[in-house]
């Protein structure tokens, strides 16, 4: 069970990076085509577009799973503590008015709730 929790946490930590990568991709100017055919078998613009679509799909999968969680405390833990890292563990405990051990229990439950809705993780 511990490995499952680590796997889920790592995925959520990558979520913020995914979001930044997608934003960076959107800020890059569109490729221009000069009409000259390339002799290479790989099209750079096509590869970037496929990467963009893949990142957008991964991002949507995570967001859909996060939005499916009804418990506001679990949402707080996942979004503000795990993903955005807005709070330390002690600050998060204070926000939720719980002990550290109760917070750790809630965090694990929140991670499992996320995994239940996220299609690429089998817990």
């Amino acid at each position: 069970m511990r490995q499952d929790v680590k796997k889920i946490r790592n995925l959520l930590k990558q979520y913020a990076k995914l979001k930044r990568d997608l934003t960076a991709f959107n800020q890059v100017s569109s490729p221009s085509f000069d009409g000259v055919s390339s002799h290479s078998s790989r099209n750079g613009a096509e590869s970037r577009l496929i990467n963009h679509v893949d990142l957008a799909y991964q991002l949507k999968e995570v967001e859909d799973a996060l939005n499916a969680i009804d418990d506001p405390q679990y949402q707080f833990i996942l979004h503000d503590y795990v993903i955005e890292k807005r709070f330390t563990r002690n600050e998060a405990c204070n926000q939720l008015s719980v002990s550290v051990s109760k917070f750790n229990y809630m965090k694990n439950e929140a991670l499992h709730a996320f995994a239940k809705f996220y299609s690429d993780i089998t817990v």
Side-chain angles (χ1 to χ4, degrees):
M1 182 162 136
R2 186 117 176 104
Q3 289 297 83
D4 295 337
V5 169
K6 284 184 179 182
K7 184 177 178 182
I8 300 163
R9 263 191 88 131
N10 287 336
L11 176 95
L12 288 174
K13 286 179 180 180
Q14 289 300 313
Y15 171 74
K17 182 183 179 314
L18 250 171
K19 228 173 164 177
R20 283 192 307 272
D21 290 349
L22 191 59
T23 301
F25 181 86
N26 287 335
Q27 292 174 350
V28 173
S29 63
S30 298
S32 61
F33 298 98
D34 58 8
V36 177
S37 66
S38 171
H39 294 287
S40 79
S41 62
R42 186 152 189 149
N43 182 337
E46 182 180 319
S47 295
R48 287 190 301 275
L49 181 60
I50 290 170
N51 186 46
H52 172 75
V53 170
D54 186 48
L55 287 175
Y57 178 77
Q58 290 175 40
L59 196 65
K60 183 176 179 342
E61 287 279 303
V62 172
E63 288 174 350
D64 287 349
L66 289 169
N67 290 332
I69 296 171
D70 291 332
D71 190 318
Q73 291 181 321
Y74 288 1
Q75 289 179 345
F76 168 81
I77 291 169
L78 294 174
H79 185 266
D80 294 340
Y81 177 73
V82 176
I83 296 169
E84 296 294 328
K85 300 178 183 169
R86 290 184 184 156
F87 300 97
T88 65
R89 183 173 52 183
N90 288 334
E91 291 170 337
C93 289
N94 290 336
Q95 288 285 323
L96 297 172
S97 300
V98 296
S99 67
V100 171
S101 61
K102 176 69 174 176
F103 176 78
N104 288 334
Y105 172 80
M106 290 173 69
K107 179 183 67 184
N108 288 341
E109 291 297 308
L111 291 168
H112 281 105
F114 169 80
K116 185 173 88 173
F117 294 109
Y118 185 72
S119 62
D120 289 347
I121 294 180
T122 55
V123 178

